[in-house]
């Protein structure tokens, strides 16, 4: 049985009296972000489509942390619904300080088999959802001259592209562009914008859509990831909280990769040599030295 580590490292009152809005905050990585922000003293707004589930999660979290946790039903693809999230959050909690654009949609598919609606769906959730929320909350912060922090969730393949998740790769790459662009444009108003690029963090929602059993048989994470393990949601959440906190007050426009070195292993042309044995290396060294003579 694996032992759950405690990854939290920020002081407990880091987010006291602040409100963090987390899209998709009721499940998976979003739920881990909710836990960490609440542990740090924040009130949390969980935004999502499944209101029954999120309301239950919110009630449970509110009791666990003795904090205000709202579940607000909204589909981030629709700007007006996000505007309602802002209004409702202000009415119920009085302020909004931080936004985590975590809601995502994704599934593996050969691109030639995707309908244009399927492509739209993923891009709309990931990119449009992110800019809708950023725009609604950003406009409010700018108008009110309020300092704030935005954290976007990208992926490592936002940099490289990836076959079979093409709508997600396109949308996440644009999310990285949004992150860097707004870091410059809004930095002077005290709004920091950063992103995380997580690697393999097994959560039900993502893994069912990205690594169904038939695909899992083809995957060996230990050989794909230099650190030979997958990530834990709680360790990503601790890093997310750090980026949102004043302790990271000089970090702006950063896309922080948290993947155990996975994407670099895929990139280096000679990284495959890590499979060579000591005897293979001896033979190879003899051959490369002979090349001199
Ligand atoms: C092909 C599919 C499909 C699939 C849906 N579609 N699933 N096409 N293969 N598996 C098509 C549908 O047929 C439809 O097109 C269109 O996509 C819209 O589908 P709907 O089901 O109507 O959309 P919706 O109800 O809005 O659901 C969105 C969804 C769903 C993305 C399809 O899976 C969802 O709600 N996901 C949210 C959670 C999620 O995906 N989490 C994983 C994120 S992981 P037609 O033409 O038939 O109308 C992530 C991490 C990346 O981003 C990094 C990992 C390492």
């Amino acid at each position: 049985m694996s032992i759950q580590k405690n990854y939290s490292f920020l002081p407990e009152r880091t987010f006291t009296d602040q409100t963090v809005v987390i899209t998709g905050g009721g499940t998976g990585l979003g739920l881990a972000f909710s836990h960490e922000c609440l542990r740090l003293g924040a009130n949390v707004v969980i935004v999502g489509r499944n209101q029954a589930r999120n309301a239950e999660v919110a009630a449970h979290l509110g009791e666990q942390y003795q904090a205000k946790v709202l579940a607000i039903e909204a589909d981030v693809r629709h700007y007006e619904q996000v505007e309602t999230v802002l209004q409702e959050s202000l009415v119920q909690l009085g302020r909004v300080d931080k936004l985590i654009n975590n809601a995502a949609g994704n599934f593996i598919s050969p691109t030639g088999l995707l309908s244009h609606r399927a492509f739209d769906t993923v891009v709309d959730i990931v990119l449009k959802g992110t800019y809708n929320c950023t725009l609604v909350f950003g406009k409010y912060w700018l108008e009110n001259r309020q300092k704030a922090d935005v954290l976007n969730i990208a992926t490592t393949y936002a940099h490289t592209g990836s076959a079979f998740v093409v709508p997600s790769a396109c949308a996440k790459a644009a999310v990285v562009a949004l992150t860097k662009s707004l870091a410059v444009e809004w930095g002077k108003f005290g709004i920091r914008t950063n992103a995380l690029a997580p690697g393999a963090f097994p959560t039900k929602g993502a893994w069912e859509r990205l690594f169904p059993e038939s695909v899992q048989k083809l995957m060996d994470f230990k050989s794909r990831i230099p650190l030979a393990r997958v990530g834990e949601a709680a360790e990503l959440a601790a890093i997310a909280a750090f980026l949102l906190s004043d302790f990271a007050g000089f970090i702006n426009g950063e896309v922080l990769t948290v993947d155990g070195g996975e994407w670099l292993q895929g990139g280096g042309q000679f990284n495959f040599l890590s499979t060579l044995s000591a005897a293979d290396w001896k033979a190879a060294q003899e051959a490369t030295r002979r090349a001199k003579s």
Side-chain angles (χ1 to χ4, degrees):
M1 196 180 81
S2 71
I3 297 167
Q4 188 77 30
K5 287 188 197 158
N6 178 13
Y7 291 100
S8 303
F9 56 89
L10 294 175
E12 276 195 9
R13 294 177 58 78
T14 300
F15 292 163
T16 296
D17 295 332
Q18 301 198 11
T19 300
V20 186
V21 174
I22 306 174
T23 65
T27 54
L29 293 180
L31 180 58
F33 299 150
S34 295
H35 273 283
E36 183 63 3
C37 292
L38 287 161
R39 191 192 72 81
L40 296 172
N43 294 319
V44 162
V45 179
I46 295 172
V47 181
R49 289 177 288 170
N50 189 337
Q51 182 62 8
R53 182 196 61 208
N54 287 345
E56 203 179 315
V57 170
H60 180 73
L61 290 175
E63 206 167 295
Q64 184 178 350
Y65 292 95
Q66 292 297 296
K68 291 179 185 154
V69 186
L70 296 184
I72 303 182
E73 184 173 358
D75 185 331
V76 292
R77 291 173 280 193
H78 301 297
Y79 190 83
E80 309 73 37
Q81 294 186 24
V82 181
E83 286 185 308
T84 306
V85 173
L86 170 65
Q87 294 315 328
E88 191 67 18
S89 304
L90 292 174
V91 168
Q92 301 235 25
L93 301 174
R95 58 183 299 127
V96 172
D97 305 274
K98 301 176 193 300
L99 167 67
I100 306 182
N101 283 309
N102 163 75
N106 200 2
F107 47 78
I108 49 168
S109 173
T111 307
L113 297 183
L114 287 175
S115 71
H116 65 88
R117 281 179 296 272
F119 210 116
D120 284 345
T121 298
V122 172
V123 172
D124 284 353
I125 297 171
V126 175
L127 176 56
K128 195 171 185 184
T130 299
Y131 71 65
N132 276 347
C133 293
T134 306
L135 207 53
V136 165
F137 289 92
K139 279 172 183 284
Y140 170 78
W141 289 322
L142 291 171
E143 277 160 20
N144 290 278
R145 292 185 163 73
Q146 187 189 324
K147 287 187 169 188
D149 304 285
V150 178
L151 183 68
N152 295 326
I153 307 303
T155 67
T156 49
Y157 60 65
H159 306 301
T160 59
S162 177
F164 306 114
V165 282
V166 171
S168 172
C170 296
K172 294 286 192 184
V175 166
V176 168
L178 179 75
T179 303
K180 293 180 173 175
S181 305
L182 287 182
V184 174
E185 192 176 327
W186 288 357
K188 59 173 124 357
F189 303 111
I191 301 172
R192 289 186 307 119
T193 310
N194 288 298
L196 279 176
F201 285 84
T203 59
K204 189 172 181 295
W207 253 231
E208 279 175 358
R209 294 171 174 93
L210 301 175
F211 304 110
E213 226 169 90
S214 55
V215 173
Q216 271 181 38
K217 283 185 205 143
L218 308 173
M219 300 279 298
D220 173 15
F221 278 108
K222 286 208 166 137
S223 68
R224 283 184 53 79
I225 303 172
L227 293 182
R229 70 170 177 91
V230 293
E232 286 184 40
E235 73 182 309
L236 191 71
I239 295 164
F242 165 67
L243 285 176
L244 286 169
S245 77
D246 289 347
F247 294 98
F250 204 46
I251 300 179
N252 188 28
E254 179 63 22
V255 181
L256 184 62
T257 299
V258 188
D259 75 338
E262 182 185 22
W263 87 284
L264 294 173
Q265 171 150 313
Q269 198 168 18
F270 291 94
N271 288 350
F272 72 98
L273 293 179
S274 62
T275 56
L276 260 58
S277 67
D280 293 334
W281 272 118
K282 193 162 183 293
Q285 279 193 338
E286 279 163 13
T288 53
R289 286 184 195 284
R290 267 199 308 276
K292 192 179 170 189
S293 58

